[in-house]
Amino acid sequence: MPRIERLPEPHVYPAYGIYLLQSQHRLVRRLKRLYEPSVHGHKTWGSSFLLMDYLEHEPMNKKASVMEIGCGWGPAAIFCAKKFDAKVTGVDMDPDVFPFMEVLAALNDVDVASLVSKYEDLTSKQLTGQKLLIGSDICFWDKLVKPLSKLITRALKSGVERVIITDPGRPTFYELADLCSKKHDVSLQEWFAVQPNHFTGEVLEIRARKEKKEED
Ligand SMILES: C[S@@+](CC[C@H](N)C(=O)[O-])C[C@H]1O[C@@H](n2cnc3c(N)ncnc32)[C@H](O)[C@@H]1O
């Protein structure tokens, strides 16, 4: 059994080696007076714990560059910075999510760069140099499926080695998995996280399809 950890104050909770804040935490309440995330980026979503758990089993290289798209409060990005010493960038179309990400980064003593961008506006130049592209619960509307599919193709063409997306199992996410499987190597697995609570969902990992060697 893990050792008992005394938490520094109420409404702080640990998961996968990082600390997170509940909505009732005084800093979150104060930030919510000033910033209003408007595209569902108003909390840490359960799918981010699937990403953390998956990366504990299928780890990334230490110190690699990681981009979290649709980052919201950036829990998975902060996990990568803490656990793998990764160079992380949180990307979101909603600038109001970033103050929350900054506070969580400070709480965990890591640095996270931020970039305001829609999926469709992320360029090959911005993607070049990233080893891993991650996202949790980012494909929740029909209109997000195609921009995400195109972004994934752009990322793999720009040299991104792995794209990992987690989801509670929305129809739009399966549509995205289906589109990706037509062009790339795809693994879709049911997964569960055990921290901070039991949470079940899906993990989609996408890699560039290996070119078949020509017959002699
Ligand atoms: C359900 S929240 C998930 C946040 C975070 N990944 C998590 O798991 O806690 C979805 C996030 O995607 C962002 N988002 C939605 N559509 C987007 C788009 N087209 N481009 C970039 N970000 C987008 C939202 O602003 C929001 O922060």
Side-chain angles (χ1 to χ4, degrees):
M1 297 300 278
R3 70 192 161 86
I4 291 175
E5 207 172 330
R6 306 270 172 227
L7 294 171
E9 58 177 308
H11 310 303
V12 178
Y13 64 99
Y16 293 99
I18 61 169
Y19 291 108
L20 294 155
L21 300 178
Q22 289 165 334
S23 304
Q24 308 95 306
H25 190 275
R26 61 191 172 83
L27 292 177
V28 174
R29 286 186 6 207
R30 180 66 68 98
L31 282 176
K32 280 191 173 171
R33 280 192 225 154
L34 302 168
Y35 305 96
E36 283 184 65
S38 53
V39 202
H40 299 300
H42 62 284
K43 64 171 191 173
T44 295
W45 289 78
S47 295
S48 60
F49 303 115
L50 294 175
L51 240 170
M52 295 176 203
D53 196 286
Y54 183 73
L55 282 170
E56 291 220 324
H57 288 82
E58 302 290 341
M60 56 174 286
N61 290 335
K62 286 250 171 196
K63 296 185 189 288
S65 294
V66 180
M67 201 173 244
E68 179 176 6
I69 51 171
C71 62
W73 294 11
I78 289 164
F79 167 81
C80 290
K82 192 78 189 175
K83 169 105 188 169
F84 301 109
D85 212 3
K87 196 169 168 261
V88 292
T89 306
V91 182
D92 205 291
M93 66 180 281
D94 182 353
D96 276 14
V97 301
F98 294 115
F100 297 88
M101 184 172 83
E102 275 304 323
V103 164
L104 287 187
L107 179 67
N108 288 286
D109 202 18
V110 296
D111 289 320
V112 183
S114 54
L115 175 63
V116 179
S117 174
K118 285 188 171 182
Y119 307 139
E120 49 270 46
D121 296 336
L122 268 179
T123 62
S124 302
K125 199 172 166 198
Q126 287 167 318
L127 293 160
T128 299
Q130 302 296 327
K131 290 283 176 226
L132 178 64
L133 193 71
I134 56 175
S136 62
D137 211 340
I138 55 166
C139 191
F140 45 88
W141 288 329
D142 285 340
K143 68 175 186 186
L144 297 175
V145 176
K146 276 205 179 131
L148 273 169
S149 159
K150 286 185 179 165
L151 166 58
I152 290 165
T153 299
R154 225 161 38 247
L156 295 174
K157 278 189 183 156
S158 306
V160 171
E161 289 169 7
R162 303 169 71 193
V163 179
I164 307 170
I165 299 182
T166 54
D167 196 88
R170 304 179 197 284
T172 40
F173 166 81
Y174 292 118
E175 238 179 275
L176 175 65
D178 210 37
L179 273 185
C180 291
S181 70
K182 294 191 171 116
K183 290 188 181 168
H184 313 296
D185 279 350
V186 157
S187 126
L188 178 63
Q189 301 179 73
E190 275 187 280
W191 206 267
F192 67 91
V194 290
Q195 300 175 33
N197 302 304
H198 194 281
F199 183 86
T200 308
E202 302 274 349
V203 181
L204 174 66
E205 172 151 5
I206 307 142
R207 292 175 188 244
R209 200 164 270 173
K210 286 186 196 91
E211 307 252 327
K212 281 200 187 107
K213 279 192 188 146
E214 278 181 34
E215 299 285 323
D216 289 335

